[in-house]
Amino acid sequence: MTSQSFTDIIGFTGTVKEVIIVKDDCRIEKKYLVERLLRIPAIDNCEVISTTERGFRILIQFGDGLEKTAFVFVLREALPRVIKKTVVELQDDNEEIYGILMAPYISEQSEKLCIESGFGYVDLSGNAYISFGTLFISEKGNPNKYPQKKKQKNLFDSTSTTTSLILRKLLENTEKVWKLKYLSEAVGCSIGMVSRVKDELCAQLWAEMTKEGLRITDSRGLLEAWGKGYQIPKEKVVGCYTLESLPEFEKKLKDLRTNHGIESYLTGFSGGVRYAPVVRYNRIHVLVSPEDIDEFIQYSDCKRVDTGANILIYEAQSSEIAGVMEIKSDWIASPVQVYLDCMQLKGRGEELAEAVYEREIKR
């Protein structure tokens, strides 16, 4: 079955609506789930016993004579916001029955919501979690086979400078509540752009809109998702080598700023330890504007190398140097930028990113 045929059958238009659309008695979902369950040796039989506006019920008969009933709730799109609303509605029904949510694709965040709420899930992309009675199924990591026809721009798209600035402003103080007008003025963008970012943040349950304004509710979830999608292109990194000790080289950065007007900002390990000194490092990571990189290398007396670099220069975009801070006369990238850069440095980098989050962002 192709993505197109599935879309045609269930009427998936790509718009986000908190309503349930069930066509053709969920025949694709019924067939998919029943066939999947019947492949399990412990299950003798599985059949659909009724259909409702929300989905359908299945009866599972095990080889030991045990019978279990589950209610399958069919979703057009399994956004975290929709999952949360659905779970609340099902729990309000007060039915003594196991609930399974089905959708074309269920993300990692939506999966966590299902499991934490005591519900199972199955998507048509091959991911599943069912745990009740003696039955346990767990499969994850399969990509979305049914992307929207008109896919929205990724919230973390590296080319969207304005979106990045909005997210950074919100994460500067996660306790602050923003009126959309004031947030747009603070970033210097249209209120329409802020509203679009707000909608996506709320859909993923990373933020909520109250009478007072927009506030971040899950900074960890937001940053984890951003960190996974954030990448530093290889062509944006210049590897260099210095014979000086790292502390001596870091002192030289102050001289470059004062005497030559070349601004740079520590990030990665060298920036992270300024916020949370929990690791040692043997490389300096520094943000430098693209137009200053050649002069930075010239006046700092380091040399470009293809391997064995102990100085990594990142071409700095305008959004990446937003919110920089001066700490003991050293200029450091913002906690959010340091977090993102440290997440690219696996192992100890991820440890340092977590420490920066706990000390500077979480609050």
Side-chain angles (χ1 to χ4, degrees), residues 220-233:
R220 183 185 295 278
L222 171 57
L223 275 169
E224 285 180 351
W226 194 354
K228 289 178 181 178
Y230 185 82
Q231 291 184 340
I232 304 171

Side-chain angles (χ1 to χ4, degrees), residues 80-116:
R81 179 186 61 199
V82 178
I83 292 286
K84 183 176 181 179
K85 180 180 179 182
T86 301
V87 165
V88 170
E89 290 174 348
L90 283 175
Q91 289 173 336
D92 288 345
D93 289 341
N94 295 317
E95 293 190 23
E96 295 295 328
I97 193 170
Y98 185 69
I100 300 173
L101 305 183
M102 282 196 76
Y105 176 72
I106 292 180
S107 68
E108 183 177 337
Q109 188 180 5
S110 293
E111 170 208 353
K112 290 179 181 178
L113 283 172
C114 290
I115 296 174
E116 289 172 358

Side-chain angles (χ1 to χ4, degrees), residues 37 43 45-47 49 57-62 64-71 96-98 100 130-135:
L37 292 176
I43 295 178
N45 189 39
C46 177
E47 60 181 300
I49 56 176
R57 294 173 186 264
I58 57 172
L59 175 65
I60 303 174
Q61 297 173 323
F62 295 88
D64 58 6
L66 181 67
E67 292 186 349
K68 286 285 186 178
T69 301
F71 178 69
E96 295 295 328
I97 193 170
Y98 185 69
I100 300 173
I130 298 177
S131 178
F132 76 109
T134 58
L135 179 62

Side-chain angles (χ1 to χ4, degrees), residues 289-316:
S289 296
E291 62 272 18
D292 290 337
I293 289 179
D294 288 339
E295 287 189 341
F296 177 92
I297 294 172
Q298 177 186 348
Y299 288 112
S300 65
D301 198 27
C302 60
K303 295 183 178 181
R304 293 176 185 258
V305 293
D306 294 326
T307 59
N310 59 0
I311 309 295
L312 290 177
I313 304 170
Y314 297 159
E315 289 188 12

